[in-house]
Amino acid sequence: MRMQAPTNVVLITLDCVRPDFLGCYGCQTARTPNLDRLAARGIVYEQALTQAPNTWVSHAGILTGLYPHLHGVRSPYDRLHPHVPTMASLLAELGYRTAGFPGNDLVGSRAGFHEGFDLFHEEYRLPYPADPAPGGGITANNRNEWGEVLRAAERWLTAGRDPFFIWFHYLDTHHLPEYDLPDYFRFTREPLWQYYEGKISYADHRCIGGVLDLLRRCSVYEQTLLIVLSDHGEELHAGLPPSHNGGLTEGVLRVPLILFRERMPESGTRVGSLVRTVDLAPSVVRLLSGADTDRGPGGPRRPVFSGACLPLCPGARGSGLAGAGVGAGELAYAENEPLGIFCLRSEEWKYLVTPEGEALFHLPSDRLEQSNTVLRHPQTAAYFRREMHALGARGPSATRTPAERDEEETRRLLRAFGYVD
């Protein structure tokens, strides 16, 4: 089964959203009617995994189709290497107009995320006067204001022609207090979760609904492939506030992933096999180029991806592209390199390398990852150990370069976003 190529592509990344807080993934309390309608008529990936538990590394993987040791962004102090092709730069070579709307500076031009975009909207402002930036300057609470993002996107859309690619990063689902959250959406199962469930419902209304209205107003809705996913999930434990950028648990690694286009032949498909967020870039490029991205002299660059093409029907496997690495379409890699934590995940097993040693969890029988079975399953552990070594991800990055910001400014960004004290 092959999806018909769309004219345009809109990519929406929702920050910190777990799939089990969406109606289309079984949540009975969150109100997500727009996403649920897209899921009912599109393709839902039930086992999609991100490659990092934080915004900067995960977005770098989404936009390049590469694992962190290849795109070079492994910490908030790193910059995406300018010679690494991105989804935007590859689509620009195919004749697409490109526009990016990052949520804040952690995925902004200072870290190289602007590469390939004709328009990269960075009008960061402080939304809440009660939350000033210590010493002034940019903070993670300084963000692109969503209403202005939609207005800027509409101006850009109406000023040009198809085809186009737009990336929207919606930040207001992050676990920061949201002082302007309407009372209607201030509901949650746990007060310390800072209205997490309500903010996701509000995002469905304000972000997903707003983008759909924009596409309809600009008369491009029926010609556009809409991709919605999260950069990572969230750790949620009763009595504790939300958190991420620590371990590589399923609550952080599993993300929603939905593909939708009006009248797509795959309407209503749910794919249960393991897929990765690094599979998006090769999938989109192959879909729009109509080939395996192997172009002759004078054409677009031939990219090398860590990801594989997404399966479009239940039971199918993604087809690996050049340089897809070990286990393409079968294993998912994730890391928190600054903490020394590395992971390989299959549909059944999770293998971890940590500063404390190795861990192996059998997920169907140990959903909470409580029982380390390395000693009980030595052959399985040896397999993952070989695959981890072959991947080469624990070594130095080939493209690691410093971001264009000083260390203290970066710490202000991270402190404002709750990543450091």
Side-chain angles (χ1 to χ4, degrees):
M1 186 183 298
R2 179 176 177 82
M3 185 189 299
Q4 181 182 0
T7 303
N8 313 302
V9 176
V10 170
L11 171 67
I12 301 175
T13 54
L14 301 170
D15 214 283
C16 298
V17 173
R18 292 168 53 127
D20 56 349
F21 277 74
L22 304 179
C24 53
Y25 282 87
C27 182
Q28 300 298 312
T29 53
R31 304 161 193 161
T32 54
N34 287 303
L35 281 168
D36 295 347
R37 280 193 291 270
L38 296 180
R41 298 166 55 200
I43 304 174
V44 176
Y45 294 89
E46 297 178 329
Q47 203 172 174
L49 299 183
T50 188
Q51 275 57 73
N54 49 54
T55 298
W56 45 93
V57 183
S58 58
H59 272 93
I62 292 167
L63 294 175
T64 66
L66 295 173
Y67 283 148
H69 66 293
L70 298 176
H71 61 60
V73 178
R74 309 186 86 167
S75 83
Y77 303 98
D78 297 331
R79 175 183 176 84
L80 194 67
H81 196 280
H83 296 304
V84 171
T86 66
M87 199 185 310
S89 64
L90 292 169
L91 294 187
E93 292 177 1
L94 291 173
Y96 278 68
R97 300 167 58 227
T98 57
F101 297 88
N104 73 352
D105 187 52
L106 286 169
V107 287
S109 58
R110 291 171 182 259
F113 284 84
H114 66 296
E115 295 292 337
F117 287 103
D118 303 323
L119 169 68
F120 201 69
H121 182 86
E122 293 184 284
E123 299 292 339
Y124 304 127
R125 62 189 67 177
L126 187 66
Y128 310 120
D131 188 22
I138 295 174
T139 79
N141 272 348
N142 271 11
R143 61 187 71 182
N144 273 331
E145 195 278 320
W146 182 251
E148 175 54 32
V149 163
L150 291 178
R151 289 187 289 271
E154 185 162 5
R155 290 192 297 269
W156 183 81
L157 276 173
T158 55
R161 296 183 177 179
D162 298 349
F164 62 79
F165 166 65
I166 302 179
W167 165 46
F168 293 108
H169 173 212
Y170 185 80
L171 193 61
D172 287 350
T173 42
H174 197 276
H175 61 229
L176 295 169
E178 301 294 334
Y179 302 122
D180 65 347
L181 188 67
D183 287 342
Y184 177 77
F185 292 99
R186 286 182 178 269
F187 58 94
T188 183
R189 308 173 209 180
E190 166 61 55
L192 285 178
W193 296 357
Q194 299 170 339
Y195 308 110
Y196 179 74
E197 189 172 34
K199 288 194 291 186
I200 292 173
S201 294
Y202 189 41
D204 180 88
H205 165 74
R206 191 173 185 230
C207 173
I208 305 302
V211 170
L212 291 174
D213 289 342
L214 168 66
L215 297 177
R216 293 187 181 103
R217 284 198 308 274
C218 294
S219 302
V220 293
Y221 170 77
E222 294 193 358
Q223 296 79 41
T224 300
L225 172 66
L226 190 66
I227 304 169
V228 184
L229 75 157
S230 179
D231 55 348
H232 54 76
E234 194 77 289
E235 286 288 359
L236 297 172
H237 302 288
L240 296 174
S243 65
H244 56 268
N245 198 31
L248 302 178
T249 63
E250 292 296 285
V252 170
L253 293 186
R254 284 199 63 221
V255 296
L257 174 57
I258 300 167
L259 273 60
F260 169 83
R261 187 189 179 194
E262 188 71 13
R263 292 190 294 275
M264 63 192 307
E266 298 84 5
S267 177
T269 296
R270 301 188 75 94
V271 177
S273 55
L274 185 70
V275 300
R276 304 156 299 182
T277 57
V278 292
D279 295 337
L280 268 180
S283 301
V284 170
V285 172
R286 181 172 185 178
L287 175 66
L288 299 183
S289 67
D292 280 351
T293 68
D294 185 1
R295 297 289 170 129
R301 285 169 285 180
R302 180 183 182 182
V304 176
F305 295 111
S306 302
C309 283
L310 290 165
L312 298 179
C313 55
R317 294 265 182 197
S319 56
L321 298 183
V326 299
E330 298 177 4
L331 296 179
Y333 171 78
E335 71 170 37
N336 192 336
E337 189 255 6
L339 297 184
I341 306 174
F342 306 89
C343 169
L344 275 180
R345 163 86 145 76
S346 70
E347 292 186 7
E348 184 177 5
W349 296 93
K350 175 182 280 186
Y351 171 76
L352 292 166
V353 178
T354 75
E356 290 73 39
E358 294 178 301
L360 180 69
F361 300 108
H362 183 247
L363 297 175
S365 61
D366 184 18
R367 183 175 58 87
L368 299 179
E369 303 170 45
Q370 299 294 307
S371 179
N372 184 356
T373 65
V374 164
L375 297 180
R376 294 206 303 272
H377 297 280
Q379 291 183 332
T380 302
Y383 162 76
F384 280 103
R385 198 176 298 124
R386 289 193 301 271
E387 295 297 295
M388 183 72 80
H389 177 75
L391 188 62
R394 296 177 62 197
S397 296
T399 58
R400 196 165 193 170
T401 54
E404 294 178 351
R405 58 164 81 95
D406 61 40
E407 183 173 344
E408 182 53 38
E409 181 185 5
T410 302
R411 288 191 66 81
R412 285 202 302 269
L413 281 155
L414 299 173
R415 190 179 301 115
F417 227 1
Y419 285 116
V420 297
D421 297 327

